[in-house]
Amino acid sequence: MKRGKECFVVATCFLPLATGFLGIQHSKFAVNSNTCSLWATNERIPIAVTREEGKNGKLIEEIGLHEDLRSQVEILELPCIEHASGPDYEILGETLASGSWTYVVVTSPEAAKVVASAWDAVRDDPIPVVAVGKATEKVLAKHNIPVSFVPSKATAETLAQELEFKGEGTSLLYPASAKARDTLQSGLEARGFIVKRLNTYDTVTAEWTEDQKEIAKRAKIACFASPSSIKGWLINTDNNKDVIAVCIGETSATACRGHSWSESQIYYPDAPGIEAWVDSIKAAVEDIKVSHV
């Protein structure tokens, strides 16, 4: 797919692209009803993007590359989470350097940034790095951290099954989110790995303004990239599960089920990724259109 140049202006209501417009609404700015009247006229479907502030750009850009989709949607940028340092962040550098680790496993783009901030401790004698998926690998590459293994599917379960066990004493440092489940750790330990987990960062719920809460009421679709985003959405919307949940992958979809979302309201691709995520958004949009015929 050929990618043209896009022009993003954060506080405006429209994103110019090759042809047409993609309706963009940033949650921190007031809505001008005259400027945004085209959305209602064209019956655009409001879609909430819920990653932390500054992290929704890739999804918005990918939506913009699909002319058939961008002409039908209005983007509501409503960050549901924020990141903060975890209790073990301060000892990450010394822990990296202190042990003869077989692997360091990195399970999200945010974890990749955290690891990169401490990587100078071992840059001259690097440890083999395992990334859970391509998005995480890309962030590590930006920081000149080579990756030795990526599983066939970007899930903790697949990583735990596929990572090579090198015999007794195979050890692994796992810089994790304080909110991360023990799926990866338990799966690896069951195979004989020695796992040292550090809770190096935390994911907390973003607090919305009253304006943001009002904007969220218009959403027909909410896009989720993590269980934490789902929790943040529910807290800030008084438990609104009437929206269609379009998840980046199976982990978030499972979290929606855990919050008693209707199965018919959950969409997600077989394999996580931005392009596949947008395909799921397109499917949800088409189903909304059909249901209103």
Side-chain angles (χ1 to χ4, degrees):
M1 180 183 295
K2 186 176 181 180
R3 296 173 181 258
K5 292 184 178 179
E6 295 84 17
C7 176
F8 287 89
V9 184
V10 174
T12 59
C13 289
F14 294 112
L15 171 65
L17 287 157
T19 59
F21 291 90
L22 172 62
I24 301 289
Q25 182 175 320
H26 193 286
S27 62
K28 290 195 173 181
F29 294 89
V31 181
N32 182 310
S33 60
N34 293 325
T35 306
C36 298
S37 61
L38 180 61
W39 297 342
T41 302
N42 288 348
E43 297 182 351
R44 292 176 182 265
I45 296 170
I47 296 179
V49 292
T50 64
R51 277 180 157 168
E52 61 270 35
E53 187 173 359
K55 298 291 182 66
N56 290 299
K58 288 184 179 180
L59 177 58
I60 293 171
E61 179 182 357
E62 188 65 34
I63 291 172
L65 294 174
H66 295 256
E67 184 176 356
D68 57 335
L69 180 59
R70 73 173 187 249
S71 64
Q72 300 178 67
V73 300
E74 169 193 356
I75 305 297
L76 313 176
E77 190 169 3
L78 293 162
C80 289
I81 56 173
E82 299 172 347
H83 289 304
S85 295
D88 298 328
Y89 175 73
E90 294 297 330
I91 64 170
L92 175 58
E94 63 186 70
T95 306
L96 279 166
S98 67
S100 54
W101 306 105
T102 310
Y103 303 106
V104 176
V105 64
V106 186
T107 56
S108 71
E110 186 62 30
K113 293 179 182 179
V114 171
V115 169
S117 71
W119 195 248
D120 282 349
V122 293
R123 194 174 295 277
D124 293 336
D125 187 19
I127 305 163
V129 175
V130 174
V132 72
K134 296 296 183 183
T136 301
E137 183 181 24
K138 286 180 181 178
V139 175
L140 290 165
K142 287 180 181 178
H143 294 278
N144 297 314
I145 301 176
V147 171
S148 61
F149 177 75
V150 179
S152 60
K153 188 175 181 180
T155 66
E157 292 87 350
T158 304
L159 195 160
Q161 293 168 5
E162 295 183 352
L163 185 60
E164 181 183 0
F165 179 66
K166 297 188 175 182
E168 186 177 354
T170 301
S171 62
L172 183 146
L173 181 62
Y174 174 27
S177 163
K179 297 284 194 306
R181 296 180 298 173
D182 64 357
T183 305
L184 178 62
Q185 183 175 350
S186 297
L188 290 168
E189 288 176 341
R191 294 181 55 211
F193 286 81
I194 300 168
V195 180
K196 172 69 173 180
R197 172 172 171 161
L198 295 181
N199 291 323
T200 53
Y201 69 99
D202 200 0
T203 304
V204 298
T205 298
E207 290 189 24
W208 287 0
T209 64
E210 290 303 315
D211 284 345
Q212 288 173 304
K213 291 178 181 179
E214 286 301 311
I215 290 169
K217 291 177 182 178
R218 298 175 45 235
K220 300 298 182 186
I221 294 172
C223 303
F224 298 122
S226 69
S228 296
S229 290
I230 296 164
K231 179 182 177 182
W233 171 268
L234 293 173
I235 289 173
N236 281 294
T237 63
D238 292 327
N239 212 39
N240 177 11
K241 291 177 282 190
D242 292 331
V243 296
I244 290 176
V246 181
C247 302
I248 195 171
E250 186 176 353
T251 299
S252 296
T254 299
C256 283
R257 294 187 187 103
H259 287 289
S260 302
W261 233 281
S262 170
E263 188 67 31
S264 64
Q265 295 281 93
I266 303 172
Y267 291 68
Y268 64 99
D270 290 334
I274 294 292
E275 292 183 9
W277 197 7
V278 170
D279 287 339
S280 293
I281 293 171
K282 289 172 72 174
V285 167
E286 288 302 314
D287 285 352
I288 288 175
K289 288 168 58 182
V290 169
S291 69
H292 284 81
V293 172

